[in-house]
Amino acid sequence: MPEMDVELLAAALRRDSADLNLYAEVLSATLANSLPTGAVRVKRRRSVVERMAGRGGSVAGLDVALGEQRLSLRVDRGRVVGEVCHEVRGVVLSRRPVTLEEWIGALARALAEAAASNARAREAVERFLT
């Protein structure tokens, strides 16, 4: 995927990041529905009220595994903590804390690389761009 398409994808991923809770909800749902099973793990935080009402709770964390890269995003007290990990066969070889902007760029590049060889990832990229 050309560099310009990666920039368009990053802009689409960045589009709704002002409201962090809404951003985490939309991003986790879109990625979970678009990428292969097991590529996206969503961790939710549920209050007692949410449990009693049968609601799923708010997104507390998101892990996206694409190839040997795992991108983690955590929402903690309104603050976003991003991390990019190099992982081989379940073993984390390196981990690097990143800002939300860097995390979005890394996710866009990883999705673009996956889209080059995987039809389902290509569909995910197309959904973000439309």
Side-chain angles (χ1 to χ4, degrees), residues 76-93:
D76 186 27
R77 296 183 180 106
R79 199 175 122 247
V80 175
V81 179
E83 188 174 68
V84 176
C85 301
H86 181 97
E87 184 178 81
V88 178
R89 296 187 192 119
V91 177
V92 177
L93 301 176

Side-chain angles (χ1 to χ4, degrees), residues 1 5-12 15 124-130:
M1 185 172 261
D5 290 339
V6 172
E7 291 302 318
L8 287 172
L9 180 57
R15 181 176 35 221
V125 169
E126 289 171 1
R127 280 189 197 126
F128 279 113
L129 293 176
T130 57

Side-chain angles (χ1 to χ4, degrees), residues 16-83:
D16 298 319
S17 64
D19 181 346
L20 294 177
N21 291 328
L22 178 62
Y23 181 70
E25 286 289 337
V26 171
L27 184 63
S28 64
T30 304
L31 289 173
N33 292 332
S34 302
L35 294 175
T37 304
V40 178
R41 290 178 290 178
V42 180
K43 182 178 179 186
R44 295 187 175 275
R45 184 178 309 120
R46 290 175 44 181
S47 68
V48 173
V49 173
E50 288 171 322
R51 284 187 204 129
M52 291 176 67
R55 287 184 253 149
S58 60
V59 173
L62 174 68
D63 285 324
V64 181
L66 293 166
E68 293 184 347
Q69 193 168 42
R70 184 168 47 90
L71 301 136
S72 299
L73 190 65
R74 305 280 175 258
V75 179
D76 186 27
R77 296 183 180 106
R79 199 175 122 247
V80 175
V81 179
E83 188 174 68

